[in-house]
Amino acid sequence: VQLQASGGGLVQAGGSLRLSCAVSGRMLSVNDVGWYRQAPGDQRELVATITRADTTNYADAVKGRFAISRDNAKNTVYLQMNSLKPEDTAVYFCNARVKVTPWTPSSDFWGQGTQVTVSS
C-alpha cells in the first residue's frame, strides 16, 4: 500500500491550496483517512480526518477554513485549504487506515508529505 500526497506549494496569505492523497496497492478498503502537519521544531499535529462514511473532524485552528473530502471510487482524499495563514506553513502528511486482507486487522500507512508555505 502506498500513499501519494500532492498539491503543496507556496501561496500568499489568504490564498488557497488543494491537497490530494491517493492510496494505491493491493487492499480491500480504505477506512479512516487523516491529514496531519508538522512545522519545523514542532510535533506532528492532526489537521482533519474523514471516515469512509464521510464523517469529518477538524482541529480548532482550521475549522471553517479547511474542508476534507474523499472519493472512494478513486481511493483519494482531498484537503481544500482556504484563507491560508502563515501559521499554516508546514509539511502536510496523509495517513490512511487500510484493510489489506480479510484475515488481518486494518493497518495505518503514511504518505511522504507535501510542503505548504504561506507567505505574509
Side-chain angles (χ1 to χ4, degrees):
V1 176
Q2 292 185 328
L3 275 64
Q4 181 69 45
S6 61
L10 173 64
V11 64
Q12 288 187 331
S16 299
L17 284 173
R18 188 194 196 203
L19 306 183
S20 298
C21 176
V23 185
S24 61
R26 295 189 66 178
M27 57 192 168
L28 292 180
S29 63
V30 179
N31 300 319
D32 297 358
V33 179
W35 283 100
Y36 294 74
R37 66 187 182 186
Q38 187 168 18
D42 291 346
Q43 291 187 333
R44 191 170 296 188
E45 63 177 7
L46 175 70
V47 176
T49 60
I50 186 167
T51 69
R52 189 167 180 83
D54 285 341
T55 299
T56 59
N57 181 58
Y58 297 93
D60 287 344
V62 306
K63 281 181 181 177
R65 300 188 297 122
F66 291 11
I68 189 170
S69 61
R70 64 190 292 165
D71 183 336
N72 289 331
K74 296 181 179 179
N75 286 328
T76 300
V77 173
Y78 306 97
L79 185 68
Q80 178 67 42
M81 305 186 295
N82 300 323
S83 302
L84 282 161
K85 304 175 181 180
E87 51 263 44
D88 294 319
T89 295
V91 178
Y92 283 69
F93 299 88
C94 58
N95 167 274
R97 182 154 293 180
V98 179
K99 184 72 169 173
V100 178
T101 67
W103 50 85
T104 56
S106 296
S107 301
D108 284 338
F109 295 86
W110 287 90
Q112 84 287 3
T114 184
Q115 176 71 46
V116 172
T117 303
V118 185
S119 63
S120 58

